[in-house]
Amino acid sequence: MSQSSLNRRLTQAFGILLGIGIAIWILRGLGILTFLPGGIIWLFVLGAIALGIISFAQRTWWRF
């Protein structure tokens, strides 16, 4: 897998995880998804942050 392809996939995964986390947070706040624990939201947000950091590091520091 080339560097740009890997970075594109990491960026897409970052956006998807962040989008799902925000959507769940909003729906939970509106009272629609009240059965989901707050830990699920944190998993999506922290996963997105981790993928963002990995994507940044892969783009700037790691040379494959």
Side-chain angles (χ1 to χ4, degrees):
M1 191 178 283
S2 70
Q3 183 178 6
S4 63
S5 175
L6 178 62
N7 195 28
R8 184 174 41 248
R9 289 194 185 269
L10 287 171
T11 304
Q12 287 175 348
F14 167 76
I16 289 170
L17 280 179
L18 190 62
I20 290 173
I22 290 171
I24 289 174
W25 185 32
I26 290 171
L27 291 174
R28 189 169 182 248
L30 293 173
I32 297 172
L33 293 177
T34 57
F35 60 90
L36 287 174
I40 299 293
I41 298 169
W42 278 109
L43 285 175
F44 281 112
V45 172
L46 293 175
I49 291 171
L51 280 176
I53 291 171
I54 291 171
S55 174
F56 176 76
Q58 191 269 337
R59 186 171 10 110
T60 56
W61 296 322
W62 298 343
R63 302 292 179 214
F64 292 110

